[in-house]
């Protein structure tokens, strides 16, 4: 058996061993072309860019590595990006000390907006374009890292229009062709996994929806994962960051399998970053889920529990590698209008001056309804997830997988004092049409749902999420 055929054979064996449900059976959807030859309609392969690229290295750091890494990158003029809150915390101090020891010139941009918008992105981009920086360093949560990715991208493509690289249909979704500067990501939260992904998310204010930029080119060059940096997270920030990890793992593990995603790219370079569940991403997502189940409650309840916070920090990385290649689906697609249409909600534990539904909270509020909806397509995976999270599934029927996982999630959220549904963050049934309208443009992720859905389905999911308990 040739080497390539052997790899394909082994991957198929892994898939069949992992799950035999309809969504994960290895059947290709093919048609017949005009010439009579088979034309593949769905993809035939997947890539794992986080592991294949020598440019990405994840480091469990003691804070001293940054000095050496800056030297290795040949840094002479560094842009350090953070937000007002993190700028006063030890992680930024540690990076600044490294820059001083290295004798590197630097400028600090501390105006990053928590839950960035197109306006806040553009402000950071303007700063980056005016600085002639050769290395970017992002110190903070996903908002900071995503903002820094965008600043690096557009500073490296100064003639590009802002919408050129923004995901279609809101933007043009053009491929990134030019080289970017090195970007070091130093995450201070344990949730987004942004240090591992080629995605930058923001609120597009004119439409009141979230969208983003997705390209492997914007993925950080280096991710420095220092568990000590997470000790400064307030309880609710730790909780909402953890919910993002939870949903990253659950959504990527239950996503449409890569070989059922369409259309089939005519050239591998056109394969999207979010490819659907696959045997390698499954390993990372499943492991992240185990870590969340074991450590998240401890990490939220005791900020000085270094073992728990360290484990959640790494779980964020593991889930990031998983969803960074497999993708997410309905929880994230529906979360974007929840966050984008926020009215007056004041988020507990966040020192910001604007109304805010934190990303992790906006994602997890719909999770019981979503996984109840998607379970019929891959009940084994939903039952496995419920079991990992603590449910006894030994006598549960396949047709009850969705209800069991939904109940398990509700119990998990209740124990962590999550708000009681969308009503608790300012929404009512009258808002459902606007929430559905804001979800429709998120096809980049919603199309990876294992179960097809209509606008009526989305309406039902939002209505079912109005109250959790």
């Amino acid at each position: 058996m040739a080497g390539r055929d052997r790899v394909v054979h082994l991957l198929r064996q892994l898939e069949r061993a992992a799950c035999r449900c309809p969504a994960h059976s290895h059947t290709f959807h093919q048609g017949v072309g005009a010439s009579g030859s088979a034309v593949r309609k769905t993809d035939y392969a997947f890539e794992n860019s986080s592991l294949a690229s020598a440019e990405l290295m994840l480091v469990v750091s003691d804070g001293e590595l940054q000095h050496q890494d800056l030297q290795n990158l040949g840094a002479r003029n560094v842009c350090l990006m953070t937000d007002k809150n993190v700028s006063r915390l030890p992680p930024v101090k540690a990076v600044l000390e490294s820059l001083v020891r290295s004798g590197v010139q630097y400028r600090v941009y501390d105006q990053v907006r928590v839950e960035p918008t197109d306006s806040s992105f553009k402000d950071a981009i303007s700063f980056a374009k005016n600085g002639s920086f050769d290395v970017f360093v992002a110190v903070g949560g996903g908002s900071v890292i995503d903002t820094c990715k965008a600043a690096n991208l557009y500073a490296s493509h100064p003639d590009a229009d802002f919408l050129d690289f923004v995901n279609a249909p809101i933007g043009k979704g053009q491929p990134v062709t030019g080289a970017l500067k090195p970007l070091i990501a130093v995450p201070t939260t344990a949730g987004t996994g942004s240090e591992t992904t080629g995605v930058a998310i923001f609120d597009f204010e004119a439409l009141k929806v979230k969208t983003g930029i997705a390209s492997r080119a914007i993925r950080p060059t280096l991710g420095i994962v220092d568990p000590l940096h997470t000790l400064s997270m307030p309880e609710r920030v730790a909780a909402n960051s953890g919910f993002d990890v939870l949903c990253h793992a659950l959504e990527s593990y239950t996503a449409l399998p890569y070989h059922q995603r369409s259309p089939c790219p005519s050239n591998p370079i056109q394969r999207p970053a979010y490819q659907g569940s696959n045997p390698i991403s499954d390993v990372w997502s499943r492991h992240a889920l185990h870590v969340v189940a074991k450590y998240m409650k401890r990490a939220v309840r005791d900020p000085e529990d270094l073992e728990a916070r360290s484990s959640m920090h790494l779980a964020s990385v593991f889930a990031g590698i998983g969803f960074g290649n497999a993708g997410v689906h309905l929880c994230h697609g529906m979360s974007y209008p929840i966050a984008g249409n926020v009215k007056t909600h004041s988020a507990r534990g966040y020192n910001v001056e604007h109304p805010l539904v934190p990303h992790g909270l906006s994602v997890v509020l719909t999770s019981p309804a979503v996984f109840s909806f998607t379970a019929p397509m891959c009940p084994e995976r939903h039952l496995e997830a419920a079991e990992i999270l603590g449910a006894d599934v030994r006598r549960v029927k396949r047709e009850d997988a969705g209800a069991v996982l939904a109940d398990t999630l509700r119990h998990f959220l209740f124990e962590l004092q999550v708000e009681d549904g969308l009503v608790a963050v300012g929404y009512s049934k009258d808002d459902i049409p606007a929430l559905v309208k804001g979800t429709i443009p998120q096809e980049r992720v919603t199309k990876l749902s294992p179960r097809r859905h209509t606008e009526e389905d989305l309406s039902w999911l939002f209505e079912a999420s109005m109250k959790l308990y």
Side-chain angles (χ1 to χ4, degrees):
M1 184 183 293
R4 183 177 182 276
D5 293 339
R6 186 184 302 111
V7 171
V8 172
H9 175 71
L10 289 173
L11 289 175
R12 288 178 175 174
Q13 283 188 321
L14 279 170
E15 287 172 340
R16 289 167 179 157
C19 189
R20 298 180 181 275
C21 61
H24 290 84
S25 61
H26 198 91
T27 54
F28 292 116
H29 299 271
Q30 295 183 343
V32 178
S35 64
S37 59
V39 177
R40 191 184 300 278
K41 294 181 179 179
T42 56
D43 211 341
Y44 58 91
F46 67 91
E47 303 171 23
N48 200 290
S49 57
S50 295
L51 298 179
S53 173
E55 296 178 353
L56 176 65
M57 180 170 60
L58 300 173
V59 182
V60 179
S61 167
D62 60 3
E64 295 300 316
L65 285 173
Q66 296 147 16
H67 167 64
Q68 299 167 355
D69 295 324
L70 288 166
Q71 287 185 328
N72 293 340
L73 291 171
R76 295 292 181 268
N77 186 24
V78 171
C79 174
L80 190 156
M81 289 200 167
T82 188
D83 64 45
K84 282 291 187 183
N85 293 320
V86 178
S87 68
R88 298 188 291 265
L89 298 176
V92 170
K93 180 180 178 182
V95 172
L96 291 176
E97 289 175 350
S98 295
L99 291 167
V100 171
R101 283 197 305 272
S102 301
V104 174
Q105 179 180 332
Y106 66 88
R107 290 180 64 192
V108 176
Y109 179 84
D110 62 3
Q111 300 299 310
V112 170
R113 189 182 193 271
V114 177
E115 301 298 333
T117 64
D118 53 324
S119 296
S120 71
F121 264 20
K122 289 174 183 176
D123 189 69
I125 290 165
S126 176
F127 181 89
K129 284 183 175 179
N130 292 330
S132 300
F133 301 111
D134 53 21
V135 172
F136 288 81
V137 179
V139 186
S143 295
V144 171
I145 299 173
D146 285 5
T147 299
C148 199
K149 290 175 183 176
N152 187 12
L153 171 64
Y154 288 96
S156 301
H157 296 77
D159 296 327
D161 180 76
F162 181 72
L163 290 178
D164 284 352
F165 301 124
V166 173
N167 298 328
I170 293 172
K172 299 177 184 178
Q174 293 180 359
V176 178
T177 56
L180 275 65
K181 302 299 183 183
L183 191 162
I184 300 175
V186 186
T188 60
T189 61
T192 66
S194 186
E195 67 275 10
T196 70
T197 71
V199 178
I201 302 297
F202 64 93
D203 286 314
F204 192 68
E205 296 167 294
L207 298 179
K208 294 186 177 180
V209 296
K210 278 189 183 290
T211 184
I213 302 161
S215 171
R216 294 180 179 90
I218 68 173
R219 190 178 61 243
T221 309
L222 175 66
I224 296 182
V225 180
D226 184 348
L228 294 177
H229 289 165
T230 69
L231 298 183
S232 58
M233 274 195 301
E235 175 187 330
R236 295 324 299 171
V237 177
N240 292 326
S241 298
F243 294 138
D244 204 17
V245 179
L246 171 66
C247 288
H248 284 158
L250 284 172
E251 289 174 74
S252 58
Y253 191 55
T254 59
L256 185 76
Y258 75 92
H259 54 78
Q260 292 185 16
R261 193 198 73 254
S262 62
C264 180
S266 58
N267 186 311
I269 198 172
Q270 297 173 339
R271 183 169 289 118
Y274 287 177
Q275 304 165 82
S277 61
N278 60 77
I280 294 178
S281 287
D282 287 349
V283 173
W284 294 97
S285 299
R286 192 188 299 113
H287 184 61
L289 197 57
H290 277 283
V291 177
V292 168
K294 183 175 181 179
Y295 290 107
M296 182 171 168
K297 292 175 186 176
R298 283 173 49 185
V300 171
R301 292 167 179 165
D302 183 1
E304 296 183 359
D305 188 337
L306 183 58
E307 180 186 20
R309 291 228 164 172
S310 298
S311 297
M312 285 301 298
H313 208 19
L314 289 175
S316 175
V317 174
F318 301 151
I321 296 173
F323 93 85
N325 293 279
V328 288
H329 54 84
L330 289 176
C331 291
H332 271 77
M334 295 169 66
S335 79
Y336 297 149
I338 293 171
N341 286 275
V342 61
K343 302 172 185 177
T344 59
H345 181 69
S346 179
R348 290 181 290 159
Y350 289 77
N351 183 22
V352 295
E353 297 178 355
H354 54 274
L356 174 68
V357 179
H359 173 64
L361 178 61
S362 70
V363 170
V364 83
L365 286 175
T366 62
S367 62
V370 163
F371 292 109
S372 178
F373 175 77
T374 57
M377 299 310 299
C378 43
E380 285 90 349
R381 291 191 172 218
H382 287 67
L383 283 174
E384 183 182 3
E387 184 175 31
I388 292 171
L389 292 173
D392 183 352
V393 302
R394 288 174 294 181
R395 297 182 181 179
V396 176
K397 298 178 181 178
R398 285 164 44 98
E399 54 265 32
D400 295 327
V404 170
L405 180 53
D407 286 344
T408 302
L409 286 167
R410 287 190 192 95
H411 181 70
F412 193 82
L413 302 187
F414 182 79
E415 287 197 326
L416 288 169
Q417 301 179 342
V418 173
E419 287 83 344
D420 188 10
L422 295 178
V423 169
V425 296
Y427 291 103
S428 70
K429 291 182 180 180
D430 293 339
D431 296 307
I432 290 177
L435 294 171
V436 171
K437 182 180 179 181
T439 303
I440 293 170
Q442 312 304 329
E443 186 183 20
R444 179 181 64 90
V445 293
T446 57
K447 70 179 181 181
L448 290 173
S449 167
R451 181 176 176 181
R452 292 184 179 180
H453 53 278
T454 63
E455 290 187 27
E456 289 73 23
D457 292 325
L458 292 174
S459 295
W460 178 85
L461 290 170
F462 279 118
E463 183 173 357
S465 302
M466 286 292 161
K467 296 281 286 184
L468 288 180
Y469 315 122

